[in-house]
Amino acid sequence: MPELPEVEVVRAGLAPAVAGARVRGVEAHDPRALTRHVGAPADFEARLTGREIAGTARRGKFLWMPLSDDPARGPEAVMVHLGMSGQMLLRAPGAPAERHERVRVWIEHPDHGELAVVFADQRTFGSLAIDELVPTPDGNPGGFGDAAPLVPRQAAHIARDPLDPAFDDALFRRRLSGKASAVKRVLLDQTVVSGVGNIYADEALWASRIHPETLGRDLSTRAANRLLAEVRAVLAKALAEGGTSFDAQYVNVNGQAGYFAHSLNAYGRRGKPCPRCGTTIVRERFTNRSSHVCPRCQRRPMRVET
DNA sequence: ACTCGTACCTGTTAGC
DNA sequence: TGCTAACAGGTACGAG
């Protein structure tokens, strides 16, 4: 479940089940699910077993579960990145293996009893890790869901996401205005703004009537503000609808799909009419991926010789 | 210091 | 119908 709304749906689903729970056992079935973990799979299993999970937090598409302090170590967390196809599922302890199950963590919660937390991932671009928590430079909370001013080392280079109260609008505008890259590439650059992926980039660009190939530095302050506002709006609306699910791949911790796919205006709508002007939406190649644009509402910028 | 292209995977679908 | 190519929601890294 890749972009911010889908990851937040997962975080919110995990929170009540894992906060205050103790890890009773860990089984890593596939080492590719631990590529972000420094150390062997056996190290991951051993270090996590017996620990208490304090809560959950998220910045952009990075999710983590802070662990209760271990006097022998500094603050640390189980970090999760879902990649393109990762899922975190809550199951009964003896539930049969999921398709593409990579890691299973058995937990015991004082109120809810025993549960299995399953990480399943078809394409294996996602992974888990035990990571050190480092202080945020601005002293603000590391992410959504936890007030601690800490962030996993592997997520520290990621910008705050636009739904974070500590997101710096002026900094975003400044970074954008200095870019010789296409605005869509800037939206997908998680060190500039986090949480946006291919779906919501296309949706926000459509809503703000900006062609994805427009250079960041060519956007007026006004256009940059409009874009940021539309990014926020689409992320918030998608979150309220439980995220985007085209198929059974993108689901919450109980395996249920979200409803935002019905609200898409541009993404995946090649050949269908633009909801604003009726012009046929086209698909364009974009760095080995695709962009969906309305050729009338989103005018391709003139090539300027430099 | 930037910017871009590519590698990393498995599964499904579009097209011949 | 069957095969192959294209494509799918992301990130990190190396080359230029």
Side-chain angles (χ1 to χ4, degrees), chain A residues 192-246:
Chain A
V192 176
V193 52
S194 68
V196 180
N198 212 33
I199 294 179
Y200 301 113
D202 280 5
E203 291 299 303
L205 289 164
W206 176 87
S208 43
R209 305 176 188 235
I210 297 168
H211 191 281
E213 298 288 354
T214 313
L215 302 189
R217 65 184 179 201
D218 288 344
L219 289 175
S220 64
T221 303
R222 221 186 146 109
N225 280 328
R226 196 169 74 233
L227 177 59
L228 182 54
E230 295 295 355
V231 166
R232 286 201 168 102
V234 73
L235 292 177
K237 183 155 187 271
L239 175 56
E241 294 181 25
T244 302
S245 312
F246 298 129

Side-chain angles (χ1 to χ4, degrees), chain A residues 172-187 210-221 223-224 227 301:
Chain A
F172 169 78
R173 284 193 300 264
R174 229 179 304 139
R175 298 276 316 268
L176 182 61
S177 67
K179 293 284 185 181
S181 310
V183 60
K184 179 163 170 182
R185 197 162 227 260
V186 182
L187 284 180
I210 297 168
H211 191 281
E213 298 288 354
T214 313
L215 302 189
R217 65 184 179 201
D218 288 344
L219 289 175
S220 64
T221 303
L227 177 59

Side-chain angles (χ1 to χ4, degrees), chain A residues 30-55:
Chain A
D30 190 330
R32 294 176 302 179
L34 296 172
T35 50
R36 285 175 172 84
H37 181 73
V38 178
D43 176 72
F44 177 86
E45 294 174 342
R47 279 170 62 190
L48 190 51
T49 303
R51 298 293 296 275
E52 185 189 312
I53 299 172

Side-chain angles (χ1 to χ4, degrees), chain A residues 56-59 64 133-152 158-161 164-167:
Chain A
T56 61
R58 178 196 52 76
R59 174 187 294 204
W64 64 95
L133 290 170
V134 300
T136 55
D138 61 10
N140 287 309
F144 185 77
D146 188 334
L150 298 169
V151 65
I158 295 298
R160 291 182 177 281
D161 63 65
D164 185 330
F167 184 85

Side-chain angles (χ1 to χ4, degrees), chain A residues 24 70 98 242 246 265 286 298:
Chain A
R24 291 302 181 198
D70 177 340
E98 295 292 326
F246 298 129
N265 291 306
F286 180 84
Q298 298 165 272

Side-chain angles (χ1 to χ4, degrees), chain A residues 52-75:
Chain A
E52 185 189 312
I53 299 172
T56 61
R58 178 196 52 76
R59 174 187 294 204
K61 306 169 198 172
F62 284 78
L63 165 66
W64 64 95
M65 294 176 268
L67 299 170
S68 294
D69 289 342
D70 177 340
R73 331 187 62 103

